[in-house]
Amino acid sequence: MTKRILILAGDGIGPEVMAETRRVIAWFAKNRGFDVTLEDDLVGGASLAAFGVPITDAAMARAHAADAVLFGAVGGPQWDANPFDKKPERGLLRLRKEMQLFANLRPAICFPALVGASSLKPEIVSGLDIMIVRELTGGVYFGEPRGIEKLADGSRKAVDTQLYTTEEVRRIARVAFDLAARRKGIVHSAEKSNVMHTGVLWREEVTHIHKSEYPGATLHHILADNCAMQLLRNPKQFDVIVTDNLFGDILSDEAAMLTGSLGMLPSASLGARDPKTGRVPALYEPIHGSAPDIAGKGLANPVAAILSFAMCLRYSFGRGADADLLERAVADVLDQGYRTADIIEAGRTRSSTSQMGTAILEALSRAA
Ligand code: IPM
Ligand code: MG
């Protein structure tokens, strides 16, 4: 059956990295019998410019209908002063919420060729392979009440609400334990149960799921601030980290940077399997943002977007061997010395976005 992928390239470097990803998809269609049709739509600033909203209802309908969404990046300085509902990021948040993509998988892997690109010592990061599992549809990102209110004396009050329910914590805990079972079997659950009620509930519910469903896994509870510190001190102690929406946002940027560059890391956002159709709603996106300062210059690293497609092959289409092939091709071009601006080292020539894409296609053809 032909698979449907919706591409939402978005703003800034989004369209550039997605252009390279399209070439990779075409390679799999041509050489590996990957039967796919691609559709395109607008999101973020691009959608605001065309339609006045960060994502249209029509684009949302296509996202729901697609087998997977590949997302580029959103945002830029021209929209920074926009009111909340007219910010490009709302497009992404609406996709996450309405597709119910509650599980965000953010691997932080240090490629051997890039050990030197990390700001930490090589022995601290070499061989690093962490999976951050971030809860993506709850917490302070969506909790009500929220807003800014004018007070009687003319000053203002702002409120955001951190909110978690039993079921929200349990389902993300299961995702983390399931992933750990295929890895080293260690889960660190990060919260702030020393100051937050949501942290207490989080800790109790994760403990419950561990005891009742995954007794064979190793579970450590860790306070989120300590987790941030330990990620810099000794990141290789971690296997899977499960945490809430806001802590996951922060800890995943930190973990990503351990590996040398935000430009390298993919992510998958997954929902619950539909019992009737068997389908899992899924959106794949590079961890990096829209990087407006380098947009349009051929400086962006397409690897994170391309590796996001590898996750798509693995998680949405059951094509693990193809995902392995693509991940090896990326490792291969890094070994050969190809470097985009973000991971450049002294003595190497810089590859443009499309040169990196071409090198990956060549490595695929050599390996296939
Ligand atoms: C991320 C980003 C988003 C977030 C922004 C763009 C809304 O930082 O995916 O980590 O805060 O979740
Ligand atoms: Mg973030």
Side-chain angles (χ1 to χ4, degrees):
M1 258 251 294
T2 306
K3 301 296 183 190
R4 288 172 68 178
I5 293 182
L6 174 66
I7 296 186
L8 297 172
D11 309 322
I13 62 171
E16 291 164 71
V17 298
M18 291 316 293
E20 299 313 309
T21 308
R22 276 176 218 276
R23 296 169 73 199
V24 170
I25 298 172
W27 187 93
F28 278 89
K30 179 156 181 270
N31 297 286
R32 304 281 294 184
F34 179 45
D35 187 7
V36 66
T37 57
L38 302 183
E39 298 167 47
D40 274 280
D41 218 316
L42 301 179
V43 70
S47 177
L48 280 165
F51 302 115
V53 288
I55 189 162
T56 60
D57 292 344
M60 282 305 306
R62 293 172 102 179
H64 284 295
D67 293 298
V69 176
L70 297 184
F71 187 94
V74 286
Q78 60 270 57
W79 304 290
D80 276 353
N82 279 18
F84 232 47
D85 60 330
K86 293 265 170 357
K87 281 192 191 294
E89 290 79 5
R90 289 321 289 181
L92 177 57
L93 295 174
R94 184 172 173 201
L95 283 158
R96 288 176 179 170
K97 192 67 180 175
E98 292 184 13
M99 293 174 74
Q100 299 183 42
L101 306 170
F102 70 89
N104 184 213
L105 278 42
R106 300 193 161 188
I109 291 167
C110 188
F111 286 86
L114 294 185
V115 165
S118 173
S119 49
L120 297 193
K121 296 192 194 90
E123 63 269 27
I124 304 278
V125 293
S126 76
L128 183 76
D129 180 357
I130 299 176
M131 178 68 87
I132 298 202
V133 178
R134 168 187 176 191
E135 200 291 325
L136 202 60
T137 49
V140 77
Y141 273 63
F142 298 100
E144 299 281 346
R146 55 194 290 115
I148 301 181
E149 219 179 282
K150 197 133 191 193
L151 300 178
D153 69 356
S155 66
R156 295 184 304 158
K157 177 175 105 176
V159 180
D160 294 288
T161 301
Q162 164 83 341
L163 189 156
Y164 273 106
T165 62
T166 300
E167 209 32 60
E168 283 175 320
V169 181
R170 289 186 179 182
R171 66 182 180 177
I172 195 71
R174 290 189 185 101
V175 171
F177 285 117
D178 281 337
L179 284 165
R182 286 182 263 141
R183 300 168 51 98
K184 293 182 203 132
I186 308 167
V187 173
H188 281 79
S189 169
E191 29 64 6
K192 284 286 288 176
S193 56
N194 54 347
V195 290
M196 297 167 76
H197 294 99
T198 47
V200 173
L201 183 88
W202 186 280
R203 185 176 285 227
E204 289 174 0
E205 292 303 338
V206 173
T207 302
H208 171 76
I209 293 300
H210 176 229
K211 285 216 177 97
S212 57
E213 298 177 29
Y214 302 89
T218 303
L219 171 65
H220 299 290
H221 297 288
I222 186 167
L223 296 175
D225 54 343
N226 185 27
C227 187
M229 187 270 275
Q230 295 293 339
L231 273 171
L232 294 183
R233 196 184 70 84
N234 176 19
K236 282 190 263 182
Q237 69 186 288
F238 295 108
D239 179 23
V240 173
I241 298 173
V242 61
T243 190
D244 77 13
N245 205 343
L246 182 60
F247 296 141
D249 181 43
I250 297 165
L251 294 174
S252 63
D253 264 29
E254 188 190 1
M257 208 52 217
L258 299 175
T259 70
S261 169
L262 275 182
M264 298 294 301
L265 294 180
S267 76
S269 302
L270 307 173
R273 187 176 296 280
D274 182 323
K276 278 192 234 108
T277 63
R279 260 191 26 203
V280 176
L283 178 148
Y284 299 86
E285 62 174 309
I287 289 213
H288 62 68
S290 56
D293 51 321
I294 62 162
K297 299 182 180 154
L299 290 173
N301 186 347
V303 165
I306 289 170
L307 289 176
S308 297
F309 174 61
M311 291 187 91
C312 173
L313 287 169
R314 189 183 307 284
Y315 292 105
S316 283
F317 300 129
R319 300 179 75 98
D322 283 346
D324 290 345
L325 183 70
L326 182 49
E327 286 164 1
R328 275 200 308 275
V330 168
D332 190 20
V333 302
L334 296 171
D335 286 342
Q336 287 175 58
Y338 286 95
R339 297 288 185 275
T340 40
D342 56 317
I343 49 175
I344 196 76
E345 297 154 55
R348 303 228 185 244
T349 28
R350 191 176 77 195
S351 294
S352 68
T353 309
S354 64
Q355 284 166 339
M356 193 64 149
T358 302
I360 292 169
L361 292 174
E362 285 167 1
L364 280 170
S365 292
R366 273 196 307 276

